[in-house]
Amino acid sequence: GSHDTMTYCLDKTSTVSGNESKLVKFLNKCMPCIVHPIIMKWSTTQVLTVTEQLEAGVRYLDFRIAHKANDPSMNLYFVHMVYTTVTVQDILWEVLRWLETHPQEVVILACRNFDGLTKRLHCHLIACIKEIFQCKLCPRNVSMNAFFPPLRMIYFSKFFDSKFLDIFYFHSDLHPTVWRRELNLSAISVELWDNSRDTTAIQSSYLMPRFLIFLFFFVSEKFFVAGINLTENLRYILVHPFGSLKKMTLQSLPCLKIWIKQQYPGPKKECINIIAGDFIGNDDFVKDVIELNTKI
């Protein structure tokens, strides 16, 4: 998986997202020529396009969806501190085109955040998903209670009804069953975040304590997703104005690589089935994750 999939196309002229802190907005307003380039460097988590990520082997896409403040249109964008240049609809069509040329593949879209989305915009987004993917959506009778058998079923069903896409639609304000009933989306029952600065969370003593490590797990019976991405705080950015998230991540890849190789896929609680990372085109990340399947 790729964490914050769409940050390769952040808009250099975009305003700061409405969900960012007042301090960040104030600094960007007062010193845009200085602050905005720094925001761009610390917001970018990927350099490969969606198609390039899929070609590289990514099958879990992390979509942070938003509607721009004071935008009268229904256009939806992706966001990570700032908004993207491309719309959600354009990327959904791009994913569809890739699926049509790779009929044996299964892709999971994790849709989340929904900054600025009203109920009307949520309905618009779901309508777009239905219109674009149609019969390629995951079959309605698939449950996540046992992930691997349904995955095999989806794979073999390509010969009959061409269903290749599963979508997780996370929304904290609306009752999840509303959207699950609408698209028969797989529910995620627990979301655990480890925001500790204790780097032993990924069993590595090589990472400096100043790095904030996110290890998140979406748990539904036998389904686990882990995100291994390093994140900075505002203080760290101010102390390192010439640094970037890419530089920080690349320095840490060797120890993250060690952690990945220690993992096991499967249905047990200690197992991880999807690992999402930043800059997935670097240091054999995809290859290392896929090779974990040999342990099954």
Side-chain angles (χ1 to χ4, degrees):
S2 58
H3 166 252
D4 263 309
T5 300
M6 294 305 304
T7 55
Y8 64 86
C9 60
L10 294 176
D11 187 353
K12 295 179 181 179
T13 64
S14 167
T15 57
V16 175
S17 165
N19 274 7
E20 296 305 319
S21 68
K22 292 181 180 179
L23 178 58
V24 171
K25 293 177 183 177
F26 175 76
L27 292 174
N28 188 58
K29 187 176 182 180
C30 294
M31 303 178 291
C33 294
I34 298 174
V35 175
H36 208 74
I38 294 175
I39 288 176
M40 294 295 293
K41 288 193 300 181
W42 289 98
S43 299
T44 303
T45 66
Q46 307 294 340
V47 293
L48 301 182
T49 67
V50 161
T51 298
E52 289 171 339
Q53 290 179 39
L54 291 168
E55 289 290 340
V58 167
R59 296 296 178 267
Y60 174 93
L61 303 177
D62 178 18
F63 285 167
R64 314 293 176 100
I65 296 173
H67 182 257
K68 293 180 180 179
N70 303 317
D71 183 356
S73 75
M74 300 281 283
N75 290 335
L76 299 176
Y77 296 85
F78 303 94
V79 66
H80 190 208
M81 291 194 74
V82 294
Y83 302 99
T84 57
T85 55
V86 299
T87 65
V88 171
Q89 206 165 358
D90 288 340
I91 295 301
L92 294 180
W93 281 112
E94 185 174 340
V95 173
L96 174 67
R97 286 193 293 272
W98 188 87
L99 284 169
E100 287 177 335
T101 58
H102 297 79
Q104 296 184 349
E105 298 294 339
V106 176
V107 175
I108 297 175
L109 306 185
C111 303
R112 68 184 80 222
N113 281 43
F114 307 114
D115 298 350
L117 264 70
T118 61
K119 187 174 180 179
R120 179 167 173 254
L121 287 169
H122 275 287
C123 292
H124 171 66
L125 174 56
I126 286 181
C128 288
I129 291 171
K130 282 184 168 183
E131 177 189 359
I132 292 170
F133 294 111
Q134 299 183 25
C135 64
K136 283 183 169 56
L137 291 172
C138 181
R140 289 187 175 274
N141 59 343
V142 168
S143 167
M144 294 306 292
N145 291 337
F147 183 67
F148 292 107
L151 188 56
R152 289 193 205 98
M153 187 190 75
I154 295 171
Y155 178 81
F156 288 114
S157 72
K158 69 181 183 294
F159 299 110
F160 305 105
D161 49 16
S162 302
K163 292 166 180 155
F164 308 108
L165 190 75
D166 199 3
I167 299 176
F168 295 158
Y169 198 100
F170 302 105
H171 195 284
S172 57
D173 299 325
L174 297 175
H175 195 282
T177 56
V178 174
W179 305 107
R180 192 162 68 249
R181 184 166 58 249
E182 179 71 12
L183 273 174
N184 190 38
L185 305 177
S186 303
I188 300 301
S189 57
V190 181
E191 184 172 346
L192 302 176
W193 290 83
D194 184 353
N195 291 354
S196 169
R197 285 175 176 267
D198 180 7
T199 56
T200 59
I202 61 168
Q203 300 175 349
S204 173
S205 60
Y206 298 95
L207 295 178
M208 297 299 290
R210 64 175 177 261
F211 296 160
L212 182 62
I213 299 167
F214 286 98
L215 271 178
F216 55 92
F217 299 84
F218 303 124
V219 184
S220 180
E221 297 293 325
K222 298 185 175 83
F223 181 66
F224 300 83
V225 179
I228 52 167
N229 49 288
L230 303 179
T231 275
E232 74 299 327
N233 54 29
L234 184 57
R235 180 184 175 185
Y236 182 81
I237 294 176
L238 293 175
V239 174
H240 301 81
F242 301 106
S244 68
L245 186 59
K246 183 175 183 179
K247 183 178 180 180
M248 187 174 75
T249 300
L250 294 183
Q251 289 173 344
S252 306
L253 282 179
C255 53
L256 292 176
K257 185 183 182 82
I258 293 172
W259 181 84
I260 289 171
K261 291 193 172 184
Q262 292 173 342
Q263 304 313 303
Y264 286 84
K268 297 180 180 179
K269 288 185 177 180
E270 63 271 18
C271 296
I272 293 174
N273 302 135
I274 294 177
I275 300 178
D278 292 335
F279 304 104
I280 56 90
N282 291 282
D283 200 38
D284 295 327
F285 169 78
V286 175
K287 177 175 173 286
D288 291 339
V289 174
I290 292 175
E291 282 184 351
L292 292 177
N293 290 305
T294 60
K295 296 182 180 182
I296 297 179

mmCIF file of all heavy atoms in Angstrom, residues 17 23 42 69 85-86 132 141 155 163-164 179 185 188 199 216 229-230 246 281:
data_model
loop_
_atom_site.group_PDB
_atom_site.id
_atom_site.type_symbol
_atom_site.label_atom_id
_atom_site.label_comp_id
_atom_site.label_asym_id
_atom_site.label_seq_id
_atom_site.Cartn_x
_atom_site.Cartn_y
_atom_site.Cartn_z
ATOM 1 N N SER A 17 -5.067 23.675 3.794
ATOM 2 C CA SER A 17 -6.320 23.000 4.128
ATOM 3 C C SER A 17 -6.981 23.622 5.350
ATOM 4 O O SER A 17 -6.307 24.065 6.289
ATOM 5 C CB SER A 17 -6.047 21.516 4.397
ATOM 6 O OG SER A 17 -7.141 20.905 5.044
ATOM 7 N N LEU A 23 -1.883 28.347 13.550
ATOM 8 C CA LEU A 23 -0.507 28.824 13.468
ATOM 9 C C LEU A 23 0.064 28.605 12.068
ATOM 10 O O LEU A 23 0.699 29.502 11.502
ATOM 11 C CB LEU A 23 0.361 28.111 14.506
ATOM 12 C CG LEU A 23 1.855 28.469 14.500
ATOM 13 C CD1 LEU A 23 2.047 29.960 14.721
ATOM 14 C CD2 LEU A 23 2.613 27.660 15.552
ATOM 15 N N TRP A 42 7.264 18.998 3.187
ATOM 16 C CA TRP A 42 6.908 18.117 4.300
ATOM 17 C C TRP A 42 5.537 17.480 4.131
ATOM 18 O O TRP A 42 5.093 16.724 4.986
ATOM 19 C CB TRP A 42 6.987 18.880 5.618
ATOM 20 C CG TRP A 42 8.394 19.181 6.017
ATOM 21 C CD1 TRP A 42 9.074 20.350 5.825
ATOM 22 C CD2 TRP A 42 9.319 18.296 6.652
ATOM 23 N NE1 TRP A 42 10.354 20.248 6.299
ATOM 24 C CE2 TRP A 42 10.526 19.002 6.820
ATOM 25 C CE3 TRP A 42 9.234 16.970 7.109
ATOM 26 C CZ2 TRP A 42 11.649 18.431 7.415
ATOM 27 C CZ3 TRP A 42 10.343 16.414 7.701
ATOM 28 C CH2 TRP A 42 11.532 17.125 7.851
ATOM 29 N N ALA A 69 -12.676 24.933 0.584
ATOM 30 C CA ALA A 69 -13.537 25.934 1.222
ATOM 31 C C ALA A 69 -13.905 27.023 0.216
ATOM 32 O O ALA A 69 -13.077 27.429 -0.613
ATOM 33 C CB ALA A 69 -12.820 26.542 2.417
ATOM 34 N N THR A 85 -3.743 19.038 -7.521
ATOM 35 C CA THR A 85 -4.116 19.686 -8.778
ATOM 36 C C THR A 85 -5.195 18.891 -9.510
ATOM 37 O O THR A 85 -5.931 19.442 -10.319
ATOM 38 C CB THR A 85 -2.888 19.817 -9.710
ATOM 39 O OG1 THR A 85 -2.322 18.515 -9.893
ATOM 40 C CG2 THR A 85 -1.844 20.734 -9.103
ATOM 41 N N VAL A 86 -5.290 17.598 -9.246
ATOM 42 C CA VAL A 86 -6.254 16.739 -9.947
ATOM 43 C C VAL A 86 -7.467 16.483 -9.065
ATOM 44 O O VAL A 86 -7.384 16.539 -7.834
ATOM 45 C CB VAL A 86 -5.625 15.394 -10.361
ATOM 46 C CG1 VAL A 86 -4.471 15.618 -11.304
ATOM 47 C CG2 VAL A 86 -5.181 14.607 -9.136
ATOM 48 N N ILE A 132 -18.533 5.124 -12.201
ATOM 49 C CA ILE A 132 -17.244 4.832 -12.826
ATOM 50 C C ILE A 132 -16.928 3.340 -12.795
ATOM 51 O O ILE A 132 -16.550 2.744 -13.808
ATOM 52 C CB ILE A 132 -16.122 5.649 -12.150
ATOM 53 C CG1 ILE A 132 -16.314 7.144 -12.457
ATOM 54 C CG2 ILE A 132 -14.743 5.166 -12.602
ATOM 55 C CD1 ILE A 132 -15.425 8.062 -11.660
ATOM 56 N N ASN A 141 -21.877 -9.981 -1.544
ATOM 57 C CA ASN A 141 -21.903 -11.044 -0.542
ATOM 58 C C ASN A 141 -20.536 -11.309 0.077
ATOM 59 O O ASN A 141 -20.357 -12.264 0.809
ATOM 60 C CB ASN A 141 -22.432 -12.347 -1.167
ATOM 61 C CG ASN A 141 -21.577 -12.796 -2.336
ATOM 62 O OD1 ASN A 141 -20.804 -12.015 -2.883
ATOM 63 N ND2 ASN A 141 -21.719 -14.052 -2.717
ATOM 64 N N TYR A 155 -10.962 -12.945 -7.206
ATOM 65 C CA TYR A 155 -9.997 -13.219 -8.270
ATOM 66 C C TYR A 155 -10.598 -14.131 -9.328
ATOM 67 O O TYR A 155 -10.546 -13.845 -10.519
ATOM 68 C CB TYR A 155 -8.740 -13.850 -7.679
ATOM 69 C CG TYR A 155 -7.722 -14.215 -8.726
ATOM 70 C CD1 TYR A 155 -6.869 -13.250 -9.258
ATOM 71 C CD2 TYR A 155 -7.623 -15.520 -9.212
ATOM 72 C CE1 TYR A 155 -5.933 -13.566 -10.227
ATOM 73 C CE2 TYR A 155 -6.691 -15.846 -10.185
ATOM 74 C CZ TYR A 155 -5.852 -14.866 -10.686
ATOM 75 O OH TYR A 155 -4.948 -15.194 -11.650
ATOM 76 N N LYS A 163 -15.396 -8.344 -11.285
ATOM 77 C CA LYS A 163 -15.427 -7.491 -10.101
ATOM 78 C C LYS A 163 -14.040 -7.471 -9.483
ATOM 79 O O LYS A 163 -13.551 -8.481 -9.011
ATOM 80 C CB LYS A 163 -16.467 -7.994 -9.111
ATOM 81 C CG LYS A 163 -17.876 -7.808 -9.648
ATOM 82 C CD LYS A 163 -18.891 -8.573 -8.859
ATOM 83 C CE LYS A 163 -20.278 -8.331 -9.445
ATOM 84 N NZ LYS A 163 -21.207 -9.387 -9.169
ATOM 85 N N PHE A 164 -13.423 -6.296 -9.467
ATOM 86 C CA PHE A 164 -12.019 -6.236 -9.076
ATOM 87 C C PHE A 164 -11.742 -5.231 -7.963
ATOM 88 O O PHE A 164 -10.604 -5.104 -7.554
ATOM 89 C CB PHE A 164 -11.139 -5.828 -10.258
ATOM 90 C CG PHE A 164 -11.364 -6.650 -11.479
ATOM 91 C CD1 PHE A 164 -12.008 -6.111 -12.563
ATOM 92 C CD2 PHE A 164 -10.947 -7.958 -11.535
ATOM 93 C CE1 PHE A 164 -12.210 -6.865 -13.709
ATOM 94 C CE2 PHE A 164 -11.146 -8.712 -12.677
ATOM 95 C CZ PHE A 164 -11.776 -8.169 -13.760
ATOM 96 N N TRP A 179 -23.463 4.040 4.633
ATOM 97 C CA TRP A 179 -22.631 3.940 3.443
ATOM 98 C C TRP A 179 -22.332 2.494 3.103
ATOM 99 O O TRP A 179 -22.163 2.139 1.961
ATOM 100 C CB TRP A 179 -21.346 4.731 3.653
ATOM 101 C CG TRP A 179 -21.652 6.143 4.024
ATOM 102 C CD1 TRP A 179 -21.514 6.727 5.243
ATOM 103 C CD2 TRP A 179 -22.213 7.150 3.180
ATOM 104 N NE1 TRP A 179 -21.931 8.027 5.203
ATOM 105 C CE2 TRP A 179 -22.357 8.318 3.964
ATOM 106 C CE3 TRP A 179 -22.586 7.179 1.840
ATOM 107 C CZ2 TRP A 179 -22.863 9.499 3.431
ATOM 108 C CZ3 TRP A 179 -23.096 8.364 1.314
ATOM 109 C CH2 TRP A 179 -23.231 9.494 2.112
ATOM 110 N N LEU A 185 -19.961 -1.639 1.590
ATOM 111 C CA LEU A 185 -18.545 -1.482 1.894
ATOM 112 C C LEU A 185 -18.189 -2.302 3.118
ATOM 113 O O LEU A 185 -18.991 -2.499 4.011
ATOM 114 C CB LEU A 185 -18.239 -0.002 2.153
ATOM 115 C CG LEU A 185 -18.669 0.912 1.008
ATOM 116 C CD1 LEU A 185 -18.413 2.350 1.362
ATOM 117 C CD2 LEU A 185 -17.949 0.557 -0.269
ATOM 118 N N ILE A 188 -14.913 -1.450 9.060
ATOM 119 C CA ILE A 188 -13.711 -1.566 9.872
ATOM 120 C C ILE A 188 -14.124 -1.311 11.315
ATOM 121 O O ILE A 188 -14.602 -0.248 11.648
ATOM 122 C CB ILE A 188 -12.653 -0.535 9.439
ATOM 123 C CG1 ILE A 188 -12.274 -0.777 7.983
ATOM 124 C CG2 ILE A 188 -11.429 -0.610 10.325
ATOM 125 C CD1 ILE A 188 -11.729 -2.152 7.708
ATOM 126 N N THR A 199 10.360 4.646 19.557
ATOM 127 C CA THR A 199 10.610 3.969 18.289
ATOM 128 C C THR A 199 10.660 2.467 18.429
ATOM 129 O O THR A 199 10.726 1.756 17.430
ATOM 130 C CB THR A 199 11.934 4.462 17.677
ATOM 131 O OG1 THR A 199 12.978 4.246 18.635
ATOM 132 C CG2 THR A 199 11.848 5.925 17.339
ATOM 133 N N PHE A 216 -0.671 2.137 12.289
ATOM 134 C CA PHE A 216 -2.120 2.049 12.439
ATOM 135 C C PHE A 216 -2.621 0.728 11.900
ATOM 136 O O PHE A 216 -2.109 0.189 10.940
ATOM 137 C CB PHE A 216 -2.844 3.225 11.774
ATOM 138 C CG PHE A 216 -2.529 3.429 10.329
ATOM 139 C CD1 PHE A 216 -3.296 2.835 9.354
ATOM 140 C CD2 PHE A 216 -1.471 4.238 9.946
ATOM 141 C CE1 PHE A 216 -3.016 3.033 8.005
ATOM 142 C CE2 PHE A 216 -1.185 4.445 8.604
ATOM 143 C CZ PHE A 216 -1.961 3.845 7.642
ATOM 144 N N ASN A 229 4.858 4.980 8.383
ATOM 145 C CA ASN A 229 5.286 6.259 7.845
ATOM 146 C C ASN A 229 5.793 7.159 8.964
ATOM 147 O O ASN A 229 5.217 7.204 10.048
ATOM 148 C CB ASN A 229 4.150 6.948 7.089
ATOM 149 C CG ASN A 229 2.860 6.974 7.864
ATOM 150 O OD1 ASN A 229 2.216 5.943 8.012
ATOM 151 N ND2 ASN A 229 2.486 8.139 8.357
ATOM 152 N N LEU A 230 6.870 7.843 8.688
ATOM 153 C CA LEU A 230 7.453 8.773 9.656
ATOM 154 C C LEU A 230 6.811 10.140 9.478
ATOM 155 O O LEU A 230 6.608 10.597 8.356
ATOM 156 C CB LEU A 230 8.958 8.878 9.442
ATOM 157 C CG LEU A 230 9.731 7.555 9.514
ATOM 158 C CD1 LEU A 230 11.205 7.810 9.267
ATOM 159 C CD2 LEU A 230 9.516 6.890 10.853
ATOM 160 N N LYS A 246 10.832 13.451 2.475
ATOM 161 C CA LYS A 246 11.501 12.439 1.655
ATOM 162 C C LYS A 246 12.888 12.132 2.197
ATOM 163 O O LYS A 246 13.282 10.962 2.333
ATOM 164 C CB LYS A 246 11.595 12.902 0.206
ATOM 165 C CG LYS A 246 12.222 11.857 -0.710
ATOM 166 C CD LYS A 246 12.193 12.293 -2.166
ATOM 167 C CE LYS A 246 12.760 11.197 -3.062
ATOM 168 N NZ LYS A 246 12.727 11.577 -4.494
ATOM 169 N N GLY A 281 8.433 3.772 -4.203
ATOM 170 C CA GLY A 281 9.305 3.382 -5.300
ATOM 171 C C GLY A 281 10.753 3.209 -4.894
ATOM 172 O O GLY A 281 11.596 2.878 -5.729
#
